[in-house]
């Protein structure tokens, strides 16, 4: 079995609702969602980025609910900014859930590249604490506190504005060029993340913000769970120009499995087979090379293809890559090795 390292999942959001049953949800599963320890083991899931994410308050203009009811074309407004005071308790609860998972002995929260390799060698899930949308970080002092708790990856935005930057809306077809760039606080955040060696995640960031990070950052550029705009023109996907910029930095893109970002017409129908995913991978490889492409599932955060219904089916995708003509060495890079090498270059050994 080829090991898989995954660029993004939202399992911690499911843990929030599990209450006293959280250990059982992790260790045994309940048949819901896409992730739990047994299904990870069955699919060769060796580790990945576990996202802390704050949902928008429910309401009649809730973007996610509206998106689920619409077929392309659509252009939904960005949800409003969430205040740090609202985001912080939710974020701390999710961080606590990840720490509870670590206490079971089946998972390790990794702070260095050496930690990642050791956890994988020991057969524990190698977990990276990631924040998707910097609402729980009101200032740089808070960034240092989160870093001390284990934060090693940060996306300045989800698909809404923060004090640091602007996310792209849910829109199809659409360019990612949808608003202003980083704020002054956002520029300071990039510089401080570089000093702390916190990986900056460009997925969800609009094009002007992307360009600002590229201008300011001294680290490889990374989009942890994104697809190719040339194949599926969603605002969430990366243009060829953006792919060239990432390639110039020796960065990386993790392929998002969400059907709405994969489908060339933006539909959310459950896709059968892997032809569309392979089209995205071929396009990413053409711009980023064999060392710049990885996986970023969005498990537990999006609708999955029919033949990749949960983590237990990951080897089906890898077999499709092999059948497509990718050599085993390339498949091993895309599945795991490229993430580990990228993080070693970003964090240090």
């Amino acid at each position: 079995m080829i090991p898989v390292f995954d660029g993004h999942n939202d399992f911690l959001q499911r843990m929030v609702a599990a209450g006293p049953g959280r250990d059982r949800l992790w260790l045994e599963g309940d048949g819901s969602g896409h992730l739990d320890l047994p299904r990870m083991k069955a699919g060769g899931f060796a580790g990945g980025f576990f996202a802390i994410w704050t949902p928008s308050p429910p309401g009649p203009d809730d973007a996610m609910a509206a998106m689920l009811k619409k077929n392309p074309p659509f252009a939904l407004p960005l949800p409003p900014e969430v205040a740090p005071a609202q985001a912080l308790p939710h974020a701390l609860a999710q961080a606590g859930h990840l720490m509870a998972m670590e206490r079971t002995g089946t998972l390790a929260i990794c702070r260095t590249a050496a930690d990642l390799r050791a956890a994988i060698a020991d057969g524990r899930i190698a977990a990276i604490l990631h924040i998707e949308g910097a609402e729980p970080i009101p200032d740089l002092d808070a960034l240092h506190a989160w870093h001390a708790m284990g934060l090693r990856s940060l996306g300045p935005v989800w698909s809404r504005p923060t004090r640091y930057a602007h996310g792209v809306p849910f829109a199809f077809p659409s360019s990612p060029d949808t608003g202003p760039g980083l704020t002054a606080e956002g520029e300071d955040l990039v510089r401080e993340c570089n000093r702390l060696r916190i990986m900056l995640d460009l997925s969800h960031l609009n094009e002007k913000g992307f360009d600002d990070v590229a201008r300011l950052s001294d680290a490889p550029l990374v989009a942890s769970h994104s697809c190719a705009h040339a194949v599926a023109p969603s605002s969430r996907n990366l243009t060829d120009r953006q792919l060239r910029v990432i390639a110039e930095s020796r960065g990386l893109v993790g392929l998002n499995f969400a059907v709405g970002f994969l489908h060339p017409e933006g539909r959310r129908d459950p896709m059968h087979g892997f032809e569309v995913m392979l089209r995205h991978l071929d396009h990413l490889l053409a711009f980023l090379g064999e060392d710049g492409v990885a996986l970023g599932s969005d498990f537990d955060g999006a609708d999955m293809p029919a033949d990749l219904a949960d983590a237990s089916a990951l080897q089906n995708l890898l077999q499709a890559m092999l059948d497509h003509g990718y050599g085993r060495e390339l498949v091993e890079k895309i599945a795991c090795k490229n993430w580990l090498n990228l993080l070693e270059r970003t964090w240090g050994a």
Side-chain angles (χ1 to χ4, degrees), residues 40-58:
M40 288 176 167
K41 294 292 188 181
F45 188 110
F49 294 72
F50 284 72
I52 289 172
W53 173 75
T54 303
S56 295

Side-chain angles (χ1 to χ4, degrees), residues 3-190:
V4 175
F5 198 90
D6 180 39
H8 186 89
N9 76 68
D10 288 291
F11 178 75
L12 297 178
Q13 190 61 23
R14 282 177 60 212
M15 290 285 278
V16 168
R22 66 189 181 194
D23 282 358
R24 183 173 181 179
L25 175 64
W26 166 243
L27 294 171
E28 301 176 22
D30 62 2
S32 69
H34 306 135
L35 294 176
D36 51 51
L37 185 61
R39 285 184 288 179
M40 288 176 167
K41 294 292 188 181
F45 188 110
F49 294 72
F50 284 72
I52 289 172
W53 173 75
T54 303
S56 295
D61 297 325
D62 180 74
M64 288 297 290
M67 183 177 68
L68 291 172
K69 297 176 182 177
K70 287 180 176 284
N71 290 316
F74 56 80
L76 305 177
L78 287 171
E81 186 173 345
V82 174
Q86 178 185 342
L88 187 58
H90 197 84
L92 289 173
Q94 290 180 79
H97 294 331
L98 187 61
M99 293 170 187
M101 292 157 64
E102 184 175 48
R103 289 195 296 272
T104 67
T106 59
L107 175 146
I109 300 172
C110 299
R111 293 163 171 81
T112 67
D115 287 348
L116 291 171
R117 298 184 189 277
I120 292 171
D122 290 344
R124 292 175 292 162
I125 300 297
I128 296 169
L129 179 60
H130 167 73
I131 292 181
E132 180 182 37
E135 290 92 347
I137 303 174
D139 53 39
L140 297 184
D141 287 339
L143 179 70
H144 280 259
W146 276 102
H147 180 266
M149 284 194 287
L151 181 73
R152 293 297 182 271
S153 175
L154 173 64
V157 292
W158 178 65
S159 285
R160 64 184 169 223
T162 66
R163 66 181 56 204
Y164 303 110
H166 295 264
V168 292
F170 292 102
F172 191 100
S174 175
S175 161
D177 185 11
T178 59
L182 299 182
T183 65
E185 290 171 302
E187 294 190 354
D188 290 341
L189 181 74
V190 169

